[in-house]
Amino acid sequence: MRFLTKVSAAAALSLSLATVSQAQTSGSINVNALVRQPITITNGQDLDFGVVLQGTPKTIAETAAAAGRFDATGTANANVNIDFTLPANLVNGANNLPIGSWTGCYNQSAATNSSGCTAIANMASTTATAFGNVAGAGRLWVFVGATVTPAAAQAVGSYTNTATLTLTYF
Amino acid sequence: MSRSLILALAALTGSVTPSAAQLVVQGVRDLNFGPVLQGFAATVAPTDPIKSGQFYLRTPGIGTRVRIQFTLPTQLIGPGNARLAITFGANDGMAKGTAPSSVAAFFNPKATVIYRMVTSADANVWLGGRITPTANQPVGSYTNTVIMTVTVF
């Protein structure tokens, strides 16, 4: 069941008959696009807990010197969404070391978290912000912290995993 | 004999003569590509519920024949008069009546199309397209206008 029928050549007669009785109306819309430069994100610094003790949780704040840091470039002043993919464990072979209580902040003007770093309220949801404008270049630095919670019988060794930052223009 | 024919034609013409007031064409939604990246082409399908452009069309009634023509840009205009190429493909136009039984019809917006309204007197027309920013395309906002002209006959 179609709502409209594409008129065939047989309609030509009707077309000529109606030539003097046409009604014509126009409407318009705009076509819009925002051109942005591709985003780059590099690992500025790993989030490194160093030595932790069995049975003793350890926290590194997003404002600490040991916080993890992502360095991003994009279009100056362009709106961008921040999203994270964060692990629940650090891994050493078959052994897991729980990690959680993630925290974060972002800085639009400098690669520092000691001042001017805006806290990210919820690491599990999207945070809207914009690239800063540093001498005409779009820059954004994102810092993350977390807490690891070794069990009393946590297997000793080196644990690691990956935290991923995704930036999306909007 | 010839007089009868003339009268018959006049009656036929009169019965389908549309009034301009009965024909409505409205722009409903812009065709919005949103953020696109330098060097990466971006496509919006006419079926995209958010980004596709949309027009609304109301005709004098079921059975009406309409001719749809688009005035399409080949470029969007941006900062410093920068140009961004835009193209439209063979299936970037989509029309669908407002009746529950209506089925979408795809068409080439670069060509004139003629339809007869069968299940409803009004319809929506959607438009997609494709833009191709160059690797050094100036960043910023680009825009242009699409016009849809509908003729009832």
Side-chain angles (χ1 to χ4, degrees):
Chain A
M1 189 72 179
R2 295 187 301 170
F3 90 97
L4 16 92
T5 301
K6 201 162 186 176
V7 175
S8 67
L13 177 60
S14 298
L15 185 64
S16 61
L17 286 173
T19 299
V20 296
S21 60
Q22 291 180 339
Q24 187 177 79
T25 304
S26 295
S28 66
I29 60 173
N30 288 329
V31 186
N32 307 309
L34 286 170
V35 174
R36 304 298 193 211
Q37 69 182 74
I39 293 171
T40 67
I41 305 174
T42 57
N43 178 345
Q45 176 175 289
D46 286 337
L47 171 59
D48 192 347
F49 287 87
V51 175
V52 298
L53 302 178
Q54 292 170 322
T56 305
K58 185 173 184 179
T59 297
I60 294 180
E62 76 280 12
T63 54
R69 192 185 82 230
F70 299 92
D71 300 348
T73 65
T75 297
N77 303 316
N79 292 328
V80 68
N81 280 327
I82 296 174
D83 287 284
F84 295 97
T85 303
L86 301 169
N89 293 286
L90 304 186
V91 177
N92 177 5
N95 301 312
N96 289 332
L97 170 57
I99 183 170
S101 300
W102 289 90
T103 58
C105 68
Y106 61 85
N107 196 320
Q108 297 160 301
S109 58
T112 178
N113 55 357
S114 60
S115 64
C117 202
T118 301
I120 295 172
N122 187 345
M123 298 290 284
S125 65
T126 299
T127 299
T129 184
F131 278 102
N133 187 334
V134 181
R139 302 297 303 270
L140 189 66
W141 292 269
V142 180
F143 298 84
V144 294
T147 298
V148 290
T149 310
Q154 186 77 42
V156 298
S158 295
Y159 291 75
T160 190
N161 210 330
T162 302
T164 302
L165 167 69
T166 301
L167 299 177
T168 308
Y169 287 121
F170 69 92
Chain B
M1 181 68 177
S2 60
R3 183 176 180 182
S4 298
L5 177 59
I6 291 170
L7 288 174
L9 288 174
L12 174 61
T13 303
S15 67
V16 297
T17 299
S19 161
Q22 295 176 296
L23 175 62
V24 175
V25 178
Q26 295 173 332
V28 176
R29 181 177 66 212
D30 289 343
L31 172 54
N32 270 314
F33 286 88
V36 298
L37 301 179
Q38 293 169 324
F40 292 89
T43 299
V44 171
T47 53
D48 189 306
I50 297 172
K51 295 181 174 180
S52 64
Q54 183 181 356
F55 294 88
Y56 171 75
L57 161 66
R58 188 172 72 235
T59 70
I62 290 176
T64 300
R65 291 191 181 92
V66 294
R67 181 168 59 233
I68 299 174
Q69 293 172 289
F70 283 95
T71 304
L72 300 168
T74 57
Q75 297 173 321
L76 306 185
I77 313 300
N81 208 31
R83 305 304 171 103
L84 171 57
I86 181 168
T87 57
F88 298 90
N91 290 305
D92 276 340
M94 181 179 79
K96 185 180 180 184
T98 58
S101 58
S102 297
V103 174
F106 292 85
F107 62 93
N108 186 344
K110 293 182 292 187
T112 297
V113 292
I114 296 175
Y115 288 111
R116 185 163 61 89
M117 310 301 289
V118 174
T119 58
S120 66
D122 56 353
N124 287 292
V125 179
W126 292 270
L127 183 68
R130 179 179 175 86
I131 55 175
T132 49
T134 62
N136 59 352
Q137 188 79 42
V139 299
S141 298
Y142 290 73
T143 191
N144 211 329
T145 303
V146 170
I147 300 171
M148 185 176 84
T149 300
V150 177
T151 305
V152 172
F153 55 95

